[in-house]
Amino acid sequence: MDQLNLRHLYYFWVISREGSIAKASELLDLAPQTLSGQLATFEESVGGQLFSRERRRLVLTELGQLVQSYANDIFALTGELSETLRLAPADRPLRLAAGVSASIHKLIAFQLLQPALKLNRRVNLDCRTGRAEDLLLSLKRKELDVVLTDRMPQTEAVTDRFAVHPLTSSTISLFAAPEMAGRLRDDFPASLNHQPLLANATDAPYFQKLMNWLTISNVRMDLVARVDDSALIKVFGREGLGVFAAPTAIKEEVCRQYQVEEIAPVKAVTDQLYAITRSRKVAHEGVRAICSGFDLPR
């Protein structure tokens, strides 16, 4: 079929809501014959009958129900757009589409986004998580305004195309269930030898740094699980399945929320975070707030 005629779709939508051409024609200020002809043209364009007649009332066919479901969404959005455009520019909601690398802890992600959410205007946040590579592709397509990641882009093709804004960094701490944490604090880090380790399966850069630090410290831990969800890995740790790593900046929230305890911070290992945008000069008010936000406690 050719491109959909939105005027015809609107006429169909009004008819479907009113239940008859006569009532819809009054609402649209059109002659019933004209509206009936427009409906016939639309049915021909979509390739099927949209209504059947039952006792002087038009009833949607299966195809009509499908088209109506899309029309409901389309005209709900146009109504929302009309209301928004009637507002003064300063009163209009600010849309912020942010991508967050899956390897970033959710508590950290919230803290990074918070400056944008505290602006003196309403913010409509569209937050997506995923692999940094996929999020950067969405940024290139202008589907996202900013990507928050713990991975510094390495290739020149990426760094030439985007602007990288260093945000903040935090040391890494090791956590475990209270009984295990209390036992492992003595003689740290030698106490970690042959202890169970819960690994971050998202290839978080800080985790590779942690593994290098363990090697340098002559410590060999037993890898018992790889988990790609930062919340689930903490639940496993709480249940005593092993030791896990998280940024020191959120240790109080981690301990309170998951009933675990910090074994010790690893000051030689840091987690660096970045905001990536399409341009060095950031025009988006919400992204500017994120880039100039704050420094996490270390």
Side-chain angles (χ1 to χ4, degrees):
M1 63 174 289
D2 295 331
Q3 188 172 3
L4 196 68
N5 186 311
L6 288 180
R7 183 178 294 276
H8 288 166
L9 177 63
Y10 181 68
Y11 290 162
F12 155 77
W13 183 62
V14 174
I15 295 169
S16 70
R17 294 176 63 191
E18 296 301 315
S20 75
I21 288 179
K23 290 182 179 179
S25 63
E26 290 180 11
L27 188 64
L28 295 168
D29 196 22
L30 291 172
Q33 297 86 347
T34 301
L35 188 56
S36 181
Q38 297 288 334
L39 175 61
T41 301
F42 185 55
E43 287 182 321
E44 183 178 350
S45 71
V46 299
Q49 193 173 5
L50 299 172
F51 294 100
S52 62
R53 286 192 173 276
E54 293 184 10
R55 297 181 182 179
R56 298 183 180 180
R57 183 174 177 84
L58 294 178
V59 178
L60 288 166
T61 62
E62 185 175 343
L63 176 60
Q65 292 174 9
L66 175 65
V67 175
Q68 186 196 48
S69 68
Y70 281 93
N72 287 339
D73 292 339
I74 291 170
F75 294 116
L77 284 173
T78 58
E80 183 179 317
L81 175 60
S82 296
E83 291 180 7
T84 299
L85 293 177
R86 281 196 290 269
L87 296 172
D91 295 329
R92 292 173 187 167
L94 178 68
R95 181 183 179 275
L96 172 60
V100 179
S101 292
S103 53
I104 294 181
H105 285 260
K106 304 305 182 287
L107 291 169
I108 292 287
F110 174 74
Q111 292 179 15
L112 294 177
L113 291 168
Q114 207 168 23
L117 301 177
K118 287 184 174 180
L119 292 173
N120 292 325
R121 61 185 298 187
R122 183 158 61 92
V123 176
N124 288 344
L125 176 63
D126 177 7
C127 187
R128 310 176 198 175
T129 62
R131 297 190 316 136
E133 295 81 0
D134 297 333
L135 296 174
L136 289 175
L137 184 59
S138 294
L139 181 66
K140 178 184 175 183
R141 293 172 176 166
K142 299 185 178 180
E143 297 169 358
L144 294 174
D145 300 307
V146 63
V147 170
L148 304 178
T149 180
D150 52 3
R151 196 180 305 273
M152 177 70 174
Q154 298 298 321
T155 64
E156 291 185 5
V158 173
T159 52
D160 288 346
R161 191 178 302 131
F162 301 115
V164 180
H165 310 265
L167 293 180
T168 187
S169 64
S170 170
T171 56
I172 294 299
S173 287
L174 297 179
F175 300 85
E179 186 277 330
M180 182 181 292
R183 176 165 46 84
L184 296 179
R185 285 193 193 100
D186 294 334
D187 198 26
F188 180 87
S191 59
L192 298 175
N193 255 315
H194 303 296
Q195 295 300 311
L197 176 66
L198 301 170
N200 190 312
T202 55
D203 296 325
Y206 76 79
F207 189 79
Q208 187 56 54
K209 295 177 186 177
L210 176 63
M211 297 305 292
N212 293 339
W213 175 80
L214 289 172
T215 300
I216 293 171
S217 302
N218 294 317
V219 173
R220 182 174 180 178
M221 299 188 71
D222 297 331
L223 182 62
V224 295
R226 293 182 64 85
V227 185
D228 65 359
D229 184 278
S230 63
L232 185 58
I233 200 171
K234 297 177 182 65
V235 173
F236 284 3
R238 180 189 67 196
E239 298 303 318
L241 296 183
V243 175
F244 67 90
T248 307
I250 56 172
K251 69 176 182 179
E252 292 182 4
E253 291 90 339
V254 169
C255 292
R256 181 176 63 251
Q257 187 171 341
Y258 295 96
Q259 293 87 53
V260 295
E261 292 183 5
E262 181 189 35
I263 300 170
V266 183
K267 295 183 178 180
V269 179
T270 58
D271 186 26
Q272 176 67 52
L273 302 173
Y274 307 91
I276 301 180
T277 60
R278 285 185 296 275
S279 172
R280 172 60 59 182
K281 293 183 178 180
V282 179
H284 194 291
E285 185 180 357
V287 178
R288 283 204 310 270
I290 291 171
C291 291
S292 60
F294 61 93
D295 197 25
L296 293 172
R298 297 171 187 271

